[in-house]
Amino acid sequence: MGYDILSKVIELTDSTEALEKRLKDVAYLLIHSFAFDQCAIYLLDQDKKVLTLAVAVGSKRGCQEEYREDEGLPGLAIKNGKPIFATQSKSAKELWQGGLDKGTNGFNTIVCYPIKDDWFHGVLYLKNKEKKTISIKQKRLLGVITLQLATAIKNYQCIVNLRDINTKMKDMQYRLVNAEKLLALGEMAASLAHEIKNPLVSIGGFAKRLSHQMSLDSPYMSYVDRIVKEVAKLEKLMDGIVHFSKEEGYAFSSEDINSIIEETIAFFEDDFKKNEITVIKELSLNVPKIDVDRQHLNLVFNNLMTNAIQAMEKGGRLTIQTYQEGNWIVAEIHDTGGGIDPKIMSNIFNPFYTTKETGTGLGLAITHSIITNHKGIIEVNNNIGVGVTFIIKLPLAGKEGRILEAS
Amino acid sequence: MKEKILVVDDEEGIRLLYKEELEDAGLNVHVAASGEEALAKLEKDKFDLIVLDIKMPGMDGIEALRRIKERWKNLPVILSTAYHHYKQEFGTWASDAYVVKSSDLKELKTTIKDILRK
C-alpha cells in the first residue's frame, strides 16, 4: 500500500499542472489513503516569515488562512524542524487547551509535518475528528511524501525565479538598445540643432514683427499668428531634443510643480477651447517644492498635453492631479481620448516611433528621458476605449540631500 | 544720445532680426558677421555693448570674447547662443551675461537694458 501511495504522489507532483493543482491532488490522495477529515498544505514565505494556506481539502473547519512563522502547530513544526503527531490525550493536552492552535478545536488527531529538504518550504497539516493511531510505517511514508512535496515546490520556485530573471534580462536588453538609440539620436541632434535653431529664430522673430505691423482686422493676421505659434512649438521641440540626451545641460532649482503645470495649461488655452476640452485641475496645495529643471519639466507637460489634445480632437476631459506620496511628488495627467492601441503600447517610449502623420516620434522618448534624468518614474495606465493616464513620480531627493548635509 | 551696440552673428537672418528689433527698442545697432570683423570694428569705433554669438566659423565667440576682454576690459559682452547647454560646455564666466536665442527677444532686450543702466 505504501509503495502505491508513494508512486501516485510522485506521479502527481511531477505532472506539468500548476503547483496549486498538484498540491491539491496530493492532498486528496492523502485524506483518502490515510483516512483524515482535513488536509491542508501551507507554503512558507521566507521573506515575510509567514505560512500561507495553499490548498485545503476535506472539512474546512478551523482551517486558518495564515500562520506566522512562530504561530500555532505549523509554526512549532517549523521551529522544531520535526513533525508533530498528537491525539487528544493527557500527554498532548497542552496542544489543545493551551490555546496553542485554535485550528485543532473539534479534532482529536493531528499531524503537522514540516515540508523540507535542505530548507523549509511549508507544512503539511492533517486533522481527524476521531482519535486514531498513526503507525510507524505511516509516519515514515509521510516523511518521504513531504520530501517529494519539498522537491516539487523547490523546482516550481526555481522555474518561477528563472522566468523572473528571464523577464528582467529581456527588460535590460530592451533598455540597452533604447539607450543606444537615444545616444545616436543625441549625437545627430547636436549636429543638426544649431543649423535649425537659427533659421527658426529668424522666421519666428520676423513673423512677430510682421504681426505687430498688421492691423488687427487684417485677414492675414491669423496666418501670421499661426507661424508665430508653430515656431514657438518647434523651438521648444528643438530645445528638448538637444537637452534630453545631455544630463549636464540640466539646471536644477527648487520649483513648485503646480506652477509649471499651470504655465503649460495656459500655453494650450486656445487648443483646449478649439477642441472643446474641459480642463480639471486637482492640484494639491501641500505639494512641497522639489529640485527640478523647470525648462525640461515644462517640456514634459507640454508633450503630454499635446498628446492628450491630439487624442481628444472631438472634445473630452483632461484631468491633472498633483499630490505627495511618501518620498515622491506625483503628477497624473488623465485624458478621455480612447486610450492607446495595446499593440503599440511597448513602443510608445521608443524614439522615432509615431502613429501620427506629422509626429516626430520624439515626444514621449524625450519625456521618458527627462523624467529618468530627474531620477523619477513615468508610468502609463491605458484604459482601452476610455483614455490614458500618465503618472509621473519625482523624488523628494533634494530634501534628503539637505538633511544629510545638515547632519 | 542712443547707446551703440554691436551684434556679432554669422547668420544673416539673426543679424537682420536683432538689428531691427533692437533699433525699435531705441538702440543704435551695428552688425558683424564674424569674430574677426567684430574686432576690426571695435578698433575703429567705440561701442557700449556687444552681443556675441558663440558658434561661428573661423574665430568663435569664446575666442573673440577672450580678445575683447583683453583689450577692452570694461566693455560689456552678452553671449548669445542657440542652446542652453553650451553655457556648461564653453564656460562663459568671462562674459557679463548669457542669453539663449529665441524668436521672442524679450530676455535679450531686458538683459541689454539692465547692463546699460549700470
Side-chain angles (χ1 to χ4, degrees), chain B residues 14 23 30-32 47 49 74 79 85 95 101 103 113:
Chain B
I14 301 287
E23 277 177 356
H30 293 245
V31 293
F47 289 90
L49 185 144
N74 297 318
L79 280 175
H85 76 262
S95 71
K101 283 182 192 174
S103 60
K113 273 184 192 148

Side-chain angles (χ1 to χ4, degrees), chain A residues 193 197-198 209 235 242 246, chain B residues 20-21 24 85 101 103:
Chain A
K197 181 74 182 266
N198 281 318
R209 285 185 67 72
E235 277 186 64
V242 169
K246 289 180 171 264
Chain B
E20 291 199 11
E21 279 282 313
D24 284 358
H85 76 262
K101 283 182 192 174
S103 60

Side-chain angles (χ1 to χ4, degrees), chain B residues 6-19:
Chain B
L6 180 64
V7 171
V8 190
D9 202 302
D10 59 320
E11 290 278 335
E12 194 186 4
I14 301 287
R15 289 199 301 275
L16 277 173
L17 178 70
Y18 279 23
K19 185 170 163 61

Side-chain angles (χ1 to χ4, degrees), chain A residues 190 193-194 197-198 200-202 204-206 208-209 231 235 238-239 242-243 246 248-251 295, chain B residues 9 11 13-14 16-18 20-21 24 53 55 81-86 88-89 100-104:
Chain A
H194 199 81
K197 181 74 182 266
N198 281 318
L200 264 187
V201 169
S202 293
F206 281 115
K208 255 190 197 144
R209 285 185 67 72
V231 167
E235 277 186 64
M238 292 311 299
D239 286 343
V242 169
H243 282 300
K246 289 180 171 264
E248 70 267 30
Y250 281 65
Q295 267 184 309
Chain B
D9 202 302
E11 290 278 335
I14 301 287
L16 277 173
L17 178 70
Y18 279 23
E20 291 199 11
E21 279 282 313
D24 284 358
D53 184 23
K55 268 201 158 182
T81 193
Y83 297 104
H84 190 72
H85 76 262
Y86 292 122
Q88 275 85 2
E89 282 182 9
V100 177
K101 283 182 192 174
S102 160
S103 60
D104 188 345

Side-chain angles (χ1 to χ4, degrees), chain B residues 60-90:
Chain B
D60 68 11
I62 299 301
E63 177 60 16
L65 172 70
R66 195 182 62 76
R67 295 205 197 176
I68 291 166
K69 287 291 183 184
E70 250 172 36
R71 281 289 306 270
W72 302 279
K73 211 176 111 195
N74 297 318
L75 176 60
V77 178
I78 297 174
L79 280 175
S80 142
T81 193
Y83 297 104
H84 190 72
H85 76 262
Y86 292 122
K87 189 176 182 176
Q88 275 85 2
E89 282 182 9
F90 290 104

Side-chain angles (χ1 to χ4, degrees), chain A residues 123-184:
Chain A
V123 168
L124 172 69
Y125 202 174
L126 292 158
K127 298 176 193 169
N128 200 44
K129 279 181 208 138
E130 304 298 322
K131 276 188 197 174
K132 64 190 279 177
T133 37
I134 298 149
S135 69
I136 291 174
K137 213 174 160 190
Q138 283 178 320
K139 285 180 184 176
R140 278 196 198 135
L141 187 56
L142 280 169
V144 184
I145 290 170
T146 52
L147 190 63
Q148 178 62 24
L149 284 175
T151 312
I153 295 167
K154 187 161 82 175
N155 287 348
Y156 178 77
Q157 273 158 357
C158 277
I159 290 168
V160 169
N161 286 348
L162 265 174
R163 278 199 198 125
D164 195 37
I165 289 168
N166 204 12
T167 315
K168 278 186 187 146
M169 266 176 64
K170 274 190 187 152
D171 188 50
M172 253 163 70
Q173 194 184 13
Y174 166 75
R175 277 163 203 264
L176 262 173
V177 171
N178 215 15
E180 269 173 34
K181 277 190 204 164
L182 288 178
L183 196 69

